[in-house]
Amino acid sequence: MLNSLLDVDEDPCVENVAIGASTIIVYLQALKQFCGHAIKVDEENATFEGRTLYEVVLNTTEEVERQSKPVIVIEAGQEAGSGPVMLALFIIEQIVACEEYSEMMDKVTWVILPCTNPDGQEYLRCGQEPWHKNRKPLQNKLTYGVDISRNFDDSWTTCPVSDNIFSSNYPGPSAASENETQFISNVLAKYKQDLKAYVSIRRDGHSILYPFASKAVTRTDLEKAQSTAGEIAGKINQRAGNIQWFLNSSIFDMNGEARCGHSVDYAYNKLGIPYSYEMRVFPDSTTRIMSKFQTFPKGYETSLRNGYFSGIRELYNIVVNEKAR
């Protein structure tokens, strides 16, 4: 598929290149050219630095028929990093191009936001410094960046609001102040009527986390979300749990403290999306430590990626089976 788009000396395999803004452009151009019947790409939104925030819709039916289908939104890369973006592109590829997964488009409309912090991703990819914020200049470029993962309009006043613009956790001057936050929020609101599941894929971890981020919960508060997280984790562990166990817990319990302005809490509380999760993928920090004591098998990252996709498929099965009941 990519052959006709390649320039001289370009690598045809997306696995062999660093996932950056240009990779996403080429990848989506190829999909639009060769799979235009199944994919629609919205390019109307952009970051402060002008990079496009893509909304990719995978759907084989006409717009009128879409109204009766459940919607699953997958969003990747809020905290920068290439791993979540690579996984989002892989999910698009599997659903669109693999015949064995064709029914996943027939029964569900997929809305995938493959890179929701491209400015932060590019800055981190170029090795400037550890980074997870966006790159919006603050106070006449005295410093840069808002932590968009803390910028959503939910529980904004529950946590002490930091006005330290130099903090790596600076949540912004107000809720939903950032282009990236507004983009994600607007997409979720647009599909609210049929939206059954939302997954925010983030880097450096190996877990699926359910609400809430801003407070501790009892087991009965979120029984449905908790049990589904357990089913998804179990499916991933069947494929990729041989070295590191894929965990499931609340976001609050995983972090050990309140984290306000979280997109999962926003989706669950404000929009009523029953299956709202944060999914941590590719545990870079843990892997670096473990690699000092053991050798990882060849293709370990590929097995993780396939395991994560099996978890997405399990979520799909749960949504579809629930609609059938």
Side-chain angles (χ1 to χ4, degrees), residues 64-82:
V64 175
E65 297 176 359
R66 187 197 68 78
Q67 302 302 322
S68 62
K69 292 166 61 175
V71 175
I72 296 176
V73 172
I74 295 177
E75 166 261 308
Q78 271 190 48
E79 297 181 355
S82 294

Side-chain angles (χ1 to χ4, degrees), residues 103-165:
E103 70 170 16
M104 292 178 71
M105 259 200 305
D106 295 336
K107 297 180 179 180
V108 164
T109 294
W110 296 84
V111 180
I112 301 179
L113 315 180
C115 185
T116 52
N117 185 8
D119 295 348
Q121 182 203 2
E122 283 296 291
Y123 188 75
L124 178 65
R125 187 174 70 90
C126 295
Q128 301 293 328
E129 59 181 305
W131 197 263
H132 66 263
K133 299 189 291 184
N134 66 8
R135 291 292 298 165
K136 182 178 179 179
L138 305 172
Q139 289 193 7
N140 296 320
K141 300 183 180 180
L142 187 63
T143 186
Y144 291 82
V146 168
D147 184 353
I148 62 173
S149 70
R150 301 172 187 264
N151 188 243
F152 287 82
D153 190 11
D154 183 84
S155 306
W156 182 255
T157 59
T158 302
C159 299
V161 177
S162 171
D163 58 0
N164 178 10
I165 63 174

